[in-house]
Structures are given as structure tokens and as C-alpha cells.
Amino acid sequence: MRRRSLTVLMALSLLFVSACGDKPDLEGPVDEDLTVIGMCQVGAESDWRVANSESMKAIFTEENGYHLLFDDARQKQENQITAIRKFIQQQVDYIVLMPISEAGWDSVLQEAKEAGIPVILVDRRVDVEDQSLYAAHVGSDFLREGQRAATWIEQAFQEAEKPVRIIHIQGTLGSTAQLGRTAALEEALAAHENWELLVRLDGDFTQAKTYEVMTQYLSSLPGRGEIDVVYCENDNIAFGALQALEEQGYTCGRQGVNIITFDATRGALTECLNGRISLAVECNPLLGPLVEEVIQTMEAGRTPEKHHYVEEQIFTTENLSAALLERRNY
Ligand code: AHR
């Protein structure tokens, strides 16, 4: 699979460095035997994302036979597209793409295909007509995650005689994680006449944005609102919502406002163990080893399976312990 010319690769890489201000570690010569991976990460918007990047960096090391060119797109799709084009010029062996949103990938993935560079999608997916534009996808089943959250609400409120009042705070609009988790809640809202959607807010998967929109919403209410559930599409949204709610005098937990979150990073599990978050649905960020398996399959000349979904579980105060939290490595 080693097809690049080293001199060209290094020269183009230096151009890339000056063009985007990043500093990929290409100062020394790149060993011909290393597999070069061009990686387009969304950014560092959440604790999950940071853990995901660390998982990739831990596996794609020179000791393991790789040279990793890591690009942080700072949550902009145009930056991801620019990075892919540079990786194509650099003739990397594989492109690993965590797409920020599903739409808008056909042209650039076609360019990668024409250059003979396999693209592996990680975490989220792309909406393209031609499925041969990517070799494989490794990530979570976001719809299933949302359905597990909806089942929890159903069980927690099965005796409810009053409407179940829900606030929905969404992640980055158009991303697979948002689309799947939103679709699950929408299905459940349609199936339960007594569930009432109070408001839908855009939290963009970040704590700061959520704190702002949630504070604004709560302040706009005439008095203390009756809120049963806040369906937060990731942990950082949950942290922002929790902060805004508590500042305005709400109690969070099973006896008050039930916060539901996705990711289940250590911070959220700690709040869950403390009882301030009612449910944490796991979204596993440790995808590096699975991506490597896909690459090794291709290096061996075999075709990888198209979709690889990771095993995930759900957490409540009942199945959490301090020992589990200590073992949690993200
Ligand atoms: O696509 C996965 C989602 O993206 C995670 O839930 C979120 O934390 C991240 O930013």
C-alpha cells in the first residue's frame, strides 16, 4: 500500500503546515514502512471528542507502524474538506474522517476515491448516494441510543397521571448523533399522548452554548416551570443544562427535573452516581482499536465489513459504583 513519494509527501506537508497554521510532526523523515493516516477530527467540543482523539492518537503511533497526520477542524465542515484535499495531495494511505454533519461530502469523497485513497468514517456517517465513496464506518447506533433513553422515560413515568413535560436540547444540527437521538425522541413523543414537548433548543454539543440558551429559556418563563425531563443530546449539554437549572432554583434528579444524557463520560457518571443526572446512555468514544482492525483488514487485501457498531450500555444510580467510576478511562 506504500505508494507515496516521501519527498513529495514531506514537501506538501510543509505547505499544509504553513497553509493552516497546524504543525503535523513531519520534521524528521517518514519511514517508508509506516502507514500514513490522514485524520480529520471534528474539533474538541466535548469530553467525548477529546477521549475519541486520544484513543486514535494512542493507537496510530510509529511504534504500531503508523504516521498520523491529525487535523482538528474546529467544528467547521469547510476545514474538514480542506484537510481531505491536502491529504489527497500528500498521497496518504488512508483517510479517517469523523464527519461533522451528514450532508455535503459527495465531491470531496469522489476526489479521494479517484486518488485511490480509502476513506474510513468514524463516529458519524455521511449521506451520499454512492456507498462506495467510503470503505467502512465505525461508530455508534445513535437511534438505538435514543430509543433506550425513551424506554427509560416510559418506565419512569408509567404511573404518571399528569403530562410528562420534556425539554429537548439538541447537538450539532445535521450530525448523525443529533439526527438519531432526535428521531428516537420524536418517535416516542408521537407514541405517547401524555408526553409534552415544552421547547427544543440548540446546544451544539457544548456546555457554554447550552448554559446560554437554557438560561434564556428558563428566564423567559413567567414563574418556576413544571419540567419533568431534560433530554440532553450529550454530556456537555447536560452539564450546561444542570448549571442553568440549579442556578434558577430547580432541583435535578429523580425527585425533581430528570436529566437524561448521552456519552456517559466520567463527569456525567459522577453526577449520575450523585443523583443529579437520572440516566446516562453510553456512547463509546474508544474507537481507535476498531479503526485499526479495519485498516489491518484492508492491508491484508481483504474487504472490511461496511458498518461496525460498538457495544454500549446505560447507567443509572442503581448500577453505578465508585469502583466503576475509578475504572472508567474517559
Ligand atoms: O458524534 C458523537 C457525539 O459528538 C457525542 O455524543 C458528543 O459528545 C460529540 O461531540
Side-chain angles (χ1 to χ4, degrees), residues 86-226:
K86 293 292 177 186
F87 291 147
I88 294 171
Q89 285 174 7
Q90 289 172 299
Q91 299 178 29
V92 300
D93 295 308
Y94 295 91
I95 291 173
V96 173
L97 168 65
M98 292 77 166
I100 183 158
S101 53
E102 292 202 348
W105 294 102
D106 299 79
S107 312
V108 76
L109 294 189
Q110 183 64 38
E111 290 165 35
K113 185 178 174 183
E114 281 161 16
I117 303 174
V119 173
I120 298 154
L121 303 177
V122 174
D123 163 29
R124 304 173 185 173
R125 297 171 59 166
V126 294
D127 181 12
V128 287
E129 244 172 57
D130 177 0
Q131 299 303 309
S132 77
L133 292 182
Y134 64 93
H137 162 251
V138 174
S140 301
D141 183 341
F142 299 110
L143 178 68
R144 168 96 189 96
E145 288 176 357
Q147 287 167 338
R148 296 179 93 171
T151 303
W152 184 88
I153 304 175
E154 204 171 76
Q155 286 165 359
F157 290 90
Q158 58 190 343
E159 311 288 343
E161 281 158 12
K162 291 196 295 180
V164 181
R165 287 143 308 202
I166 302 172
I167 293 179
H168 177 193
I169 314 182
Q170 296 178 291
T172 305
L173 300 179
S175 68
T176 314
Q178 176 270 311
L179 293 169
R181 293 167 186 167
T182 293
L185 181 61
E186 273 172 354
E187 270 172 19
L189 281 162
H192 296 84
E193 267 183 12
N194 65 330
W195 290 20
E196 186 189 327
L197 179 66
L198 295 175
V199 69
R200 182 164 276 149
L201 303 170
D202 175 7
D204 201 19
F205 286 134
T206 70
Q207 181 166 347
K209 172 117 190 246
T210 302
Y211 173 72
E212 188 187 313
V213 294
M214 189 65 171
T215 300
Q216 223 167 49
Y217 171 72
L218 295 173
S219 312
S220 74
L221 299 176
R224 174 79 53 82
E226 292 208 35

Side-chain angles (χ1 to χ4, degrees), residues 42 44-50 75 99-100 122-124 140 142 145 172 175-178 181 204-206 233-237 262-263 265 283:
V42 170
E45 76 284 5
S46 63
D47 298 2
W48 186 100
R49 186 68 53 199
V50 172
Q75 279 186 278
I100 183 158
V122 174
D123 163 29
R124 304 173 185 173
S140 301
F142 299 110
E145 288 176 357
T172 305
S175 68
T176 314
Q178 176 270 311
R181 293 167 186 167
D204 201 19
F205 286 134
T206 70
E233 288 190 358
N234 83 342
D235 285 352
N236 295 80
I237 288 181
F262 297 87
D263 288 351
T265 53
C283 178

Side-chain angles (χ1 to χ4, degrees), residues 264-327:
T265 53
R266 199 187 295 110
L269 291 185
T270 306
E271 294 302 351
C272 198
L273 185 63
N274 294 341
R276 289 162 84 214
I277 285 182
S278 300
L279 172 74
V281 179
E282 185 174 44
C283 178
N284 189 346
L286 306 181
L287 303 175
L290 281 172
V291 178
E292 202 212 3
E293 257 177 59
V294 169
I295 288 176
Q296 285 309 316
T297 303
M298 294 174 81
E299 287 285 290
R302 288 182 279 116
T303 308
E305 282 196 21
K306 200 75 176 178
H307 294 284
H308 303 249
Y309 290 111
V310 274
E311 281 297 311
E312 291 169 341
Q313 52 177 322
I314 62 170
F315 298 99
T316 60
T317 319
E318 285 76 43
N319 67 348
L320 272 172
S321 64
L324 191 149
L325 273 182
E326 233 167 79
R327 288 198 304 275

